[in-house]
């Protein structure tokens, strides 16, 4: 069978092949199971069925398939690894497919001794990436066509960035913040003029923005954080005046503990953090100063619920930057043997559930 152009090539993932084959990343009992079956020359031909329990999007399936392609097999009598992928029959859904609770998303048929040690890894691939995909799609839907920028890199270990960025991309995020997150589709990270750069310019947002734009305006959409002095409307106009056409947008990121100076006239009733009224006042200030083309990006504690609220109120926001909320929750997957040597055998309650949507993997 020819490779499926709709699936990522296994080389994309740069997998630690030797350690996968050795069971280094696997629960010890799966590695022990493989060793025992091989020691007793026991080779049951099984059908393994994979599912999860939520309304979700399927992520990580191409990575899971890659794990099977490079990791299934055994060490021959000559000490050389004998791959088993060609002896397996794998059916699966595609990256980004909508999936139902308990819907079978992948099946693996073959000699169980050849792939028993990989269960931990291929399930983990799908669990992590599906979680990110589901969460990103929720905020994309809430934003009603406005851009979502994927900004959770600082909230998790750097090793998860590549696959998480891919999951976010498939789920509809318009941009990611690191080159690693964009690497699987050949993109690059995007971002804004950060608070740290503003501090490095003595707290002068305009000076930092001007220096940043001079260097990067031809390669990225220049977007500037405008809350360093907690006066977002004033700072937004100052930056727009200074940068002119070099400025794409301003980003609101007021701390949830503070009331922005733009709302000081509201007294004790002023809302804290980034809120709809603040976005309105920044929009009005920019428009009144002749900068109607400048976009507004809102960030700081956003999730699907908060974005939905902003949209319900007609907030003049052009894009949302979303971070840690996209990594919360769980989307666990389970694998069960449902057939052995052609006979139905499974844990009670985990019987075979055929799915006509599954596609044979080349």
């Amino acid at each position: 069978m020819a490779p499926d152009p709709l699936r990522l090539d296994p080389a994309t993932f740069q997998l630690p092949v030797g350690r996968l084959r050795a069971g280094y990343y696997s629960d010890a009992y799966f590695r022990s199971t493989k060793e025992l079956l091989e020691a007793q020359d026991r080779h049951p031909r099984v059908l393994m069925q994979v599912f999860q329990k939520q309304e979700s999007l399927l992520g990580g399936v191409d990575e899971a398939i890659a794990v099977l392609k490079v990791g299934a097999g055994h060490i021959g009598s000559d000490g050389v690894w004998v791959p088993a992928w060609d002896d397996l029959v794998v059916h699966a859904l595609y990256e980004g497919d909508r999936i139902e609770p308990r819907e079978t998303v992948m099946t693996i048929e073959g000699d169980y001794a050849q792939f028993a040690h990989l269960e931990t890894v291929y399930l983990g691939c799908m669990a992590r990436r599906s979680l990110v995909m589901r969460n990103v799609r929720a905020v994309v839907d809430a934003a009603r066509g406005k851009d979502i920028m994927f900004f959770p890199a600082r909230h998790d270990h750097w090793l998860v960035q590549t696959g998480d960025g891919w999951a976010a991309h498939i789920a509809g995020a318009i941009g990611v913040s690191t080159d690693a997150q964009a690497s699987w589709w050949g993109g690059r990270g995007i971002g804004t003029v950060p608070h740290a750069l503003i501090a490095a310019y003595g707290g002068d947002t305009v000076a930092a923005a001007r220096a940043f734009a001079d260097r990067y305006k031809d390669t990225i959409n220049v977007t500037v954080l405008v809350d360093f002095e907690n006066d977002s409307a004033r700072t937004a106009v100052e930056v727009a005046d200074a940068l002119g056409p070099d400025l794409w947008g301003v980003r609101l990121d007021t701390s949830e503990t503070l009331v922005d100076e733009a709302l000081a006239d509201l007294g004790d009733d002023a809302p804290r953090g980034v809120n709809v009224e603040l976005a309105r006042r920044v929009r009005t200030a920019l428009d009144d100063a002749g900068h109607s083309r400048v976009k507004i990006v809102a960030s700081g504690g956003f999730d699907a619920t908060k974005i939905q609220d902003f949209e319900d109120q007609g907030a003049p926001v052009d894009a949302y930057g979303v971070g840690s909320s996209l990594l919360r929750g769980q989307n666990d997957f389970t694998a069960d043997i449902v057939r052995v040597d052609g006979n139905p055998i499974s844990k009670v309650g985990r019987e075979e559930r055929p799915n006509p949507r599954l596609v044979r993997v080349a």
Side-chain angles (χ1 to χ4, degrees), residues 153-355:
R154 69 181 62 190
H155 304 295
D156 211 338
H157 195 280
W158 59 273
L159 280 173
V160 302
Q161 288 185 21
T162 49
D164 283 0
W166 171 255
H169 174 68
I170 293 298
I174 195 65
V176 296
S177 64
T178 75
D179 288 351
Q181 290 169 336
S183 62
W184 287 359
W185 73 89
R188 59 175 298 174
I190 63 171
T192 59
V193 174
H195 294 125
L197 184 63
I198 296 169
Y201 276 79
D204 188 335
T205 300
V206 170
R210 179 72 271 164
F212 188 91
D214 286 346
R215 184 175 180 89
Y216 298 113
K217 64 184 178 182
D218 294 331
T219 57
I220 64 173
N221 289 327
V222 176
T223 307
V224 182
L225 279 160
V226 292
D227 66 305
F228 193 87
E229 298 178 80
N230 198 40
D231 197 347
S232 297
R234 175 181 60 79
T235 304
V237 171
E238 290 175 351
V239 170
D241 285 344
L243 270 62
D246 292 343
L247 179 67
W248 181 86
V250 296
R251 177 178 160 199
L252 309 181
D253 198 47
T254 305
S255 169
E256 70 276 5
T257 66
L258 297 176
V259 173
D260 191 283
E261 287 297 321
L263 305 178
D265 63 298
L266 298 179
D268 293 340
D269 294 328
R272 298 175 185 273
V274 178
N275 55 79
V276 174
E277 182 59 25
L278 176 60
R280 287 174 177 153
R281 294 198 177 194
V282 171
R283 181 73 274 161
T284 297
L286 286 167
D287 290 349
D288 289 349
H291 301 298
S292 59
R293 55 169 292 281
V294 175
K295 308 293 186 183
I296 294 178
V297 180
S299 61
F302 278 87
D303 56 15
T305 300
K306 187 171 180 179
I307 292 174
Q308 181 74 51
D309 180 59
F310 266 54
E311 290 303 300
D312 287 346
Q313 294 186 58
V317 171
D318 300 286
Y320 295 96
V322 189
S324 61
S325 69
L326 299 177
L327 306 181
R328 294 180 193 145
Q330 80 231 11
N331 206 147
D332 302 337
F333 282 74
T334 298
D336 296 293
I337 290 176
V338 295
R339 202 188 305 161
V340 179
D341 295 328
N343 301 310
I345 296 178
S346 65
K347 173 182 174 178
V348 173
R350 299 285 179 82
E351 292 79 14
E352 183 175 352
R353 294 184 301 279
N355 184 357

Side-chain angles (χ1 to χ4, degrees), residues 120-176:
T120 305
V121 182
Y122 65 72
L123 291 182
C125 291
M126 290 188 282
R128 174 70 185 200
R129 309 314 182 199
S130 295
L131 168 66
V132 173
M133 270 197 197
R134 186 193 72 208
N135 289 346
V136 171
R137 181 59 61 84
V139 297
V140 167
D141 290 344
R144 303 177 189 176
K146 294 180 180 179
D147 291 348
I148 294 295
M149 298 179 179
F150 183 73
F151 286 167
R154 69 181 62 190
H155 304 295
D156 211 338
H157 195 280
W158 59 273
L159 280 173
V160 302
Q161 288 185 21
T162 49
D164 283 0
W166 171 255
H169 174 68
I170 293 298
I174 195 65
V176 296

Side-chain angles (χ1 to χ4, degrees), residues 8-15 17 62 66 69-70 184:
L8 292 172
D9 187 284
T12 302
F13 307 104
Q14 299 180 343
L15 296 170
V17 176
D62 289 354
K69 284 188 173 183
V70 305
W184 287 359

